[in-house]
Amino acid sequence: MQIKIIGVGKLKEKYLKMGIEEYTKRLGSYCKIQIVEVPDEKAPENLSDKEMAQVKDKEGERILAKIRDNEYVIAMAIEGKLVSSEDLAKELDQCGISGKSSVTFVIGGSLGLSPSVVKRANSKMSFGRITLPHQLMRLVLTEQIYRAFRINAGHSYHK
C-alpha cells in the first residue's frame, strides 16, 4: 500500500520532524509512505471571510495538484467522522481489500481545507473535536497510521 500525507506549510520544529521521521521509518515495513508539503499562503492576522476563502482556495489548488485521480483521499477535518485507532485500521484495511492501494491523507493549513479539497475527498476524518496545530497533526496522523498497520498485523502496539 502507498500512503501519502499532504500538509500545508513547511515543518520547522525539530521535535516534530524527528517524531515523523521515526514513525516513517517504522512504517517502512508495512507500506510506502510519502510526506508532501505544499506552501502555505501568507496572510495577515485579521482576515475578512472573503480573504480567508481566497487563502484556502489557493492552498487547495496546491493540494489538488499533488493528488492523482486513482488516489483514495481522506481529508482530516474537525467536522469529519470521529474515529478511533481501530476505525482507522479498518478503513485502511478496507482500502486494501477493495483495491485502493494509494491512500492520501490531507491536512489543511491554519484556516482549514478549501471546499474543493473536501469535495475531492472520499471521506472526512477527525481524531477529535479539539483543534490541533496543523504541524502537530502531521505527527499525530503519522503515528496513528503506524498504529493502524500494527493493529491490522495483529501486533499489540495499540494497547
Side-chain angles (χ1 to χ4, degrees), residues 72 74-91 94 122-129 137:
Y72 183 84
I74 301 172
M76 301 306 299
I78 201 164
E79 72 278 0
K81 179 184 172 200
L82 201 56
V83 296
S84 66
S85 299
E86 290 81 6
D87 293 334
L88 176 58
K90 285 177 192 168
E91 182 149 6
Q94 279 304 119
N122 299 91
S123 72
K124 292 189 302 183
M125 184 177 289
S126 175
F127 289 158
R129 298 299 178 226
M137 186 60 200

Side-chain angles (χ1 to χ4, degrees), residues 51-68:
E51 290 169 322
M52 281 195 267
Q54 289 172 336
V55 167
K56 289 196 293 188
D57 287 344
K58 287 180 184 177
E59 290 174 348
E61 289 171 12
R62 294 176 189 140
I63 290 168
L64 291 171
K66 302 293 182 184
I67 298 173
R68 295 185 318 267

Side-chain angles (χ1 to χ4, degrees), residues 2 4 8 16 18 23-24 29 36 38 57 68 72 75 79 84 89 98 115 128 138-139 147 153-154:
Q2 295 181 18
K4 184 185 329 180
V8 174
L16 293 174
M18 289 172 59
Y23 288 111
T24 300
S29 59
V36 177
V38 298
D57 287 344
R68 295 185 318 267
Y72 183 84
E79 72 278 0
S84 66
S98 60
R138 263 188 242 181
L139 174 58
R147 186 177 297 261

Side-chain angles (χ1 to χ4, degrees), residues 16-150:
L16 293 174
K17 287 181 182 180
M18 289 172 59
I20 291 169
E21 286 170 9
E22 177 62 27
Y23 288 111
T24 300
K25 181 175 73 175
R26 291 182 188 188
L27 276 162
S29 59
Y30 296 102
C31 66
K32 181 181 176 198
I33 185 161
Q34 177 186 18
I35 309 282
V36 177
E37 293 180 336
V38 298
D40 56 347
E41 189 65 22
K42 302 301 177 210
E45 283 292 317
N46 298 319
L47 297 174
S48 69
D49 289 346
K50 183 179 178 184
E51 290 169 322
M52 281 195 267
Q54 289 172 336
V55 167
K56 289 196 293 188
D57 287 344
K58 287 180 184 177
E59 290 174 348
E61 289 171 12
R62 294 176 189 140
I63 290 168
L64 291 171
K66 302 293 182 184
I67 298 173
R68 295 185 318 267
D69 289 343
N70 68 330
E71 293 174 3
Y72 183 84
V73 178
I74 301 172
M76 301 306 299
I78 201 164
E79 72 278 0
K81 179 184 172 200
L82 201 56
V83 296
S84 66
S85 299
E86 290 81 6
D87 293 334
L88 176 58
K90 285 177 192 168
E91 182 149 6
L92 289 177
D93 193 46
Q94 279 304 119
C95 284
I97 290 169
S98 60
K100 299 173 186 121
S101 61
S102 295
V103 178
T104 297
F105 293 86
V106 180
I107 303 169
S110 59
L111 299 176
L113 291 168
S114 72
S116 60
V117 172
V118 173
K119 184 178 178 186
R120 168 58 181 91
N122 299 91
S123 72
K124 292 189 302 183
M125 184 177 289
S126 175
F127 289 158
R129 298 299 178 226
I130 61 170
T131 301
L132 292 174
H134 56 282
Q135 296 94 342
L136 178 58
M137 186 60 200
R138 263 188 242 181
L139 174 58
V140 172
L141 176 60
T142 307
E143 187 278 336
Q144 285 296 304
I145 293 168
Y146 174 68
R147 186 177 297 261
F149 276 100
R150 295 288 293 181

